[in-house]
Amino acid sequence: MNSGSVLAIETSTRTGSVAARFGARRGVQQLEGERAHAIDLLPRIEALLAELASDACAAALDSIERIAVGIGPGSFTGVRIGIATAQGLARATGAALVGVPSFAALAFRELAVGEDAATVFDARAQRFYFAHYRRTRVGLETLAAPIAIRAADLATRVHAATRILGDARVATLKELDAADRERVETGAIPRADAVLDLADLLPRDASAARTHALEPMYLRAFGEL
Amino acid sequence: MTSARSELVLGIESSCDDTAAAVVRTGREILSSVVDSQIAEHAPFGGVVPEIAGRSHLRAIIPTVDRALDDAGVSLDDIGAIAVTERPGLIGSLLVGLCVAKSLSFARKLPLVGVHHIEAHAYAATMEHPVDYPTLALVVSGGHTALYRMDGPGELTKKAQTLDDAAGEAFDKVAVMLGLSYPGGPSVSRLALEGDGTAIRFPRYRAKDGKPGFSFSGLKTAVLYHLRGQDALRPTPPPEEIENKADVAASFQEAAVDTLVTQTLAMAEQEGLGTVVVSGGVACNARLRERMTAAADERGMRAVFPSPAYCTDNAAMIAGLGWHRWQSGQLAGLDLDASAR
């Protein structure tokens, strides 16, 4: 199952990245800054393919069987750039498209087997994205799927988690218990190599959905923005 | 690459509230033109909501491209180059079309061309009616109202633009005052058919220091004050209490059209240009088409309009102008960015 060629894209935060695997060779490259996602994404994919593939870049791209993309939650525009690019590549190459929650990729990469963590990031407009995962021996268990909630509704949810993966804003939230604020681990973000790993764990038929049917995890209708 | 393949351009447009794709041969022959409109999604808000537009584009873009290829009876294998709107427009909307265009171009090793939306609108009028250059172009829509000297396909020099609102924006705002549906252009002009365009004398923009130009903000305010009985402090009456709605619609339209015709033809005379091409959503307006054509005729000039389907946003004009850009070697790289302006 882990032998096929995979390309992964993660652009839900300011620090986007791309990853790929061809047979036994793997690589990851980081994008350059937030504004640059639309500019930088395809040049980075091109560079990554050139680095990993023994054949010409075009042949490498054609050999990709699955394209995995982080669907958020996170920057709406960032996620749309990632998905639109993944859709175009999938449409042009016939590769299957796999959507992976960016928060799941974050938890999967940061947690040891048996550990659980709340992932909490500022969603602006007085909301926070929250999810809760446990790393298992075979993968990742979703204890609470991603939602967008007010700070006041975070306290009890966060308190129940063994670890808290968040951003600097979360670490200063008055609504959290002082002890929980201090437990917030900042700095970790979703990365494309973890998106790739999680995609490997998804059953093949999960990517059978039609190319365009992949929606970002907005978690908020327009009226709630 | 076969010669037949090298003549087909796939155009992609997502600058505002329409997701569009088209296949055009040699910049002129439209094999397909698909427009997926978001009007119904924005109508409750009385205007385009950028975040809703971005979400809708992402859902629609791949099916729209597929439909354009299907309608043209071709596949991606037959396409010679990809043209995409890079500017101006809503950034979150532009990026969706841009990312899909770039990834198709990258994966299929196809030349990529970035196209300016306004230049493509002006070009649209010349796809159906060949013109001799130089010519004057009026691009008039919900987002733009400007005059350009056009020295060739996509070779535009801006000569004048609205000082405030775009003409289409004024139609939208008057439609809201009169309780008509969004977008305002079609709904106001439909009601205007039942009214008297001379009933109310709304102001026309007058060129300052002899330099033709446009302004629609004063006209919009004049309509508002008329509805308030010329008392600015009175509340605006609810639409159902407005009595002569059709006359207001017709008189407003007459003033807006008058301004567009007078200023455009004055600029054509100043520049010594005998042909005026008119495009953009407001170019669908039947009264504008009628008055501009007649007034140009009186002056020994020619007014050219695209068919209504190619006045509003579409990708055929993007593919069409993209062909010229491609043929003259103006290609974009994978780092092509979108720009709001």
Side-chain angles (χ1 to χ4, degrees):
Chain A
M1 186 170 192
N2 289 355
S3 60
S5 301
V6 183
L7 172 69
I9 297 171
E10 168 49 53
T11 50
S12 70
T13 69
R14 286 170 190 233
T15 312
S17 52
V18 294
R21 186 190 62 226
F22 291 90
R25 308 190 65 184
R26 279 179 68 116
V28 59
Q29 291 212 7
Q30 195 171 309
L31 307 193
E32 295 167 5
E34 181 186 29
R35 181 64 190 90
H37 284 3
I39 303 171
D40 205 30
L41 184 52
L42 278 168
R44 287 271 72 78
I45 290 172
E46 188 175 37
L48 181 65
L49 295 185
E51 172 195 314
L52 291 180
S54 44
D55 309 326
C57 181
L61 192 61
D62 283 341
S63 75
I64 287 173
E65 293 163 29
R66 301 174 100 196
I67 298 174
V69 58
I71 58 172
S75 153
F76 290 168
T77 299
V79 172
R80 277 197 285 266
I81 286 169
I83 292 182
T85 301
Q87 284 181 335
L89 292 174
R91 174 64 183 80
T93 62
L97 195 58
V98 190
V100 172
S102 301
F103 271 16
L106 169 64
F108 186 73
R109 190 167 189 276
E110 295 299 318
L111 296 181
V113 171
E115 276 189 323
D116 72 278
T119 52
V120 194
F121 283 79
D122 188 1
R124 291 189 270 194
Q126 280 108 52
R127 303 292 170 106
F128 291 83
Y129 296 126
F130 165 87
H132 192 181
Y133 299 97
R134 175 181 289 120
R135 180 81 150 87
T136 65
R137 213 164 45 76
V138 291
L140 194 71
E141 184 186 354
T142 303
L143 303 176
I147 46 173
I149 52 175
R150 293 179 184 283
D153 301 322
L154 270 178
T156 53
R157 290 178 161 91
V158 163
H159 193 72
T162 309
R163 292 176 61 185
I164 306 168
L165 307 173
D167 59 20
R169 171 103 174 81
V170 174
T172 61
L173 269 184
K174 293 189 303 289
E175 285 84 351
L176 302 188
D177 289 350
D180 287 337
R181 272 203 301 273
E182 281 178 24
R183 290 200 297 133
V184 176
E185 303 169 49
T186 60
I189 52 159
R191 285 177 42 138
D193 42 355
V195 169
L196 193 157
D197 289 335
L198 265 183
D200 274 344
L201 295 174
L202 292 173
R204 286 282 154 147
D205 57 1
S207 58
R210 283 177 306 166
T211 302
H212 64 271
L214 198 56
E215 280 267 311
M217 275 195 164
Y218 294 117
L219 305 182
R220 288 181 297 179
F222 170 73
E224 300 171 292
L225 292 178
Chain B
M1 188 186 285
T2 67
S3 63
R5 166 184 164 140
S6 69
E7 292 176 342
L8 297 185
V9 175
L10 170 65
I12 295 177
E13 147 72 35
S14 67
S15 66
C16 188
D17 61 343
D18 290 307
T19 314
V23 178
V24 175
R25 178 178 279 133
T26 63
R28 196 171 286 285
E29 189 192 339
I30 300 168
L31 272 59
S32 68
S33 178
V34 177
V35 179
D36 185 284
S37 171
Q38 305 173 1
I39 283 177
E41 291 169 76
H42 298 286
F45 303 93
V48 177
V49 181
E51 177 57 24
I52 291 177
R55 292 182 181 196
S56 186
H57 281 302
L58 188 64
R59 277 193 295 270
I61 188 77
I62 295 290
T64 302
V65 167
D66 282 340
R67 263 182 62 205
L69 292 169
D70 283 353
D71 287 3
V74 301
S75 78
L76 265 183
D77 299 335
D78 303 310
I79 297 299
I82 294 180
V84 63
T85 308
E86 56 168 319
R87 69 201 311 175
L90 301 170
I91 199 80
S93 292
L94 285 164
L95 284 172
V96 173
L98 188 83
C99 288
V100 167
K102 289 204 296 187
S103 53
L104 290 175
S105 150
F106 170 63
R108 291 301 182 109
K109 290 277 172 272
L110 293 171
L112 177 70
V113 184
V115 172
H116 191 291
H117 182 81
I118 302 303
E119 293 175 359
H121 265 305
Y123 176 77
T126 70
M127 289 177 80
E128 296 166 277
H129 313 278
V131 299
D132 292 325
Y133 296 104
T135 179
L136 186 72
L138 167 65
V139 179
V140 56
S141 68
H144 311 275
T145 301
L147 289 168
Y148 301 84
R149 179 190 166 95
M150 201 173 167
D151 287 296
E155 292 175 41
L156 303 190
T157 312
K158 192 184 283 177
K159 288 292 168 186
Q161 69 176 334
T162 178
L163 299 173
D164 36 60
D165 294 350
E169 209 177 338
F171 274 90
D172 286 342
K173 287 173 178 169
V174 169
V176 170
M177 293 179 211
L178 298 179
L180 304 176
S181 61
Y182 172 85
S187 59
V188 169
S189 62
R190 219 167 17 246
L191 182 62
L193 288 174
E194 302 162 21
D196 174 5
T198 64
I200 307 149
R201 178 73 191 175
F202 287 126
R204 274 75 167 155
Y205 177 75
R206 285 214 173 71
K208 311 286 187 294
D209 56 45
K211 201 174 171 304
F214 305 106
S215 164
F216 294 97
S217 171
L219 171 58
K220 171 195 70 188
T221 308
V223 174
L224 181 68
Y225 285 3
H226 171 81
L227 297 179
R228 291 177 179 177
Q230 300 307 336
D231 182 349
L233 299 179
R234 268 170 51 181
T236 309
E240 59 274 16
E241 287 174 22
I242 299 170
E243 279 178 6
N244 51 354
K245 262 199 276 194
D247 286 348
V248 174
S251 299
F252 157 75
Q253 175 176 265
E254 208 58 28
V257 165
D258 212 20
T259 299
L260 290 169
V261 170
T262 310
Q263 300 300 314
T264 299
L265 296 182
M267 181 65 84
E269 275 175 349
Q270 273 191 18
E271 293 284 314
L273 301 172
T275 305
V276 175
V277 302
V278 186
S279 56
V282 180
C284 290
N285 184 286
R287 187 67 180 146
L288 175 63
R289 294 170 89 99
E290 177 187 315
R291 290 273 317 274
M292 187 73 87
T293 303
D297 211 38
E298 277 171 24
R299 291 167 174 78
M301 297 178 181
R302 178 179 170 228
V304 174
F305 289 81
S307 308
Y310 301 112
C311 287
T312 45
D313 288 353
N314 67 86
M317 65 185 192
I318 304 301
L321 183 53
W323 159 265
H324 292 276
R325 295 266 185 268
W326 176 31
Q327 294 304 303
S328 59
Q330 299 174 60
L331 301 184
L334 291 177
D335 59 352
L336 179 67
D337 195 12
S339 168
R341 289 171 178 272

